[in-house]
Amino acid sequence: MSLRNLVQLVLVVGLCSSGSHVLAYDASPNIGTAEGSCADVIFSAFTPAPYSYEKGNEAAPKSDFSFLASKATRIDSLKVNVKDEKVPITITPQGNGYLVKGKLPASATGSYVRVDIYAEGLTLCKRADGWLLKVGK
C-alpha cells in the first residue's frame, strides 16, 4: 500500500466517522448542562426517617410527613404520591428552600410504602425522588 493510498484511507475513515453520533446509555442525562440540569433541585430532611431494616423504624398510620425542597424547585409543580394516591401537601418558604408537609393516607396502614416526590426545576427539567416507610397497623 502506497503512502498516498494510506492517507486517502485515513481521510475517508475520519470523514465517515465524524458525521455520526455514538449512542450510549447515560445514567444521568442532562446533568451539568445549563438547559436541562436538575442538579440544583434537591429534596432532603425526610421525616419520618426512611425505613431501615437494622433500625426497624416504623411510621404511625395517618402520620404527618415532611421534607425540604431546594429553592431551585418550582413549587407549583410539586406533587407527592403514596401508593399511587396523590397526597395533599402544604408548602412553606423556609431558609434556602421550602418545607413541604403532608399526611400519610389511610391506605398506607400496615404496609411498606414509598413517598414519591415529583417536581420540576426552574429550567423545567423533571426531578423525582422519595423514601421508603414502614407504616404500622
Side-chain angles (χ1 to χ4, degrees):
M1 184 179 269
S2 70
L3 181 60
R4 181 177 180 182
N5 286 343
L6 183 60
V7 170
Q8 286 177 342
L9 179 64
V10 169
L11 284 174
V12 168
V13 171
L15 288 174
C16 289
S17 65
S18 68
S20 64
H21 295 283
V22 176
L23 300 176
Y25 172 74
D26 184 3
S28 54
N30 298 326
I31 300 245
T33 62
E35 288 185 358
S37 176
C38 264
D40 293 336
V41 178
I42 300 169
F43 306 113
S44 61
F46 303 116
T47 305
Y51 173 73
S52 167
Y53 179 77
E54 291 80 25
K55 294 178 183 175
N57 53 330
E58 212 174 78
K62 300 181 187 176
S63 63
D64 293 334
F65 66 83
S66 67
F67 61 92
L68 295 176
S70 65
K71 212 166 199 77
T73 307
R74 287 188 49 228
I75 59 171
D76 61 324
S77 71
L78 258 169
K79 292 177 182 56
V80 176
N81 290 347
V82 175
K83 292 190 84 165
D84 295 325
E85 185 179 329
K86 188 175 178 181
V87 177
I89 54 175
T90 59
I91 303 168
T92 310
Q94 179 177 334
N96 284 336
Y98 305 97
L99 176 62
V100 182
K101 292 182 179 182
K103 189 178 279 285
L104 293 173
S107 63
T109 302
S111 62
Y112 292 88
V113 298
R114 178 170 168 83
V115 179
D116 287 313
I117 307 166
Y118 303 98
E120 292 179 350
L122 298 176
T123 60
L124 301 182
C125 61
K126 296 183 187 303
R127 183 73 161 194
D129 202 348
W131 74 102
L132 179 69
L133 294 175
K134 180 180 179 183
V135 182
K137 293 184 180 186

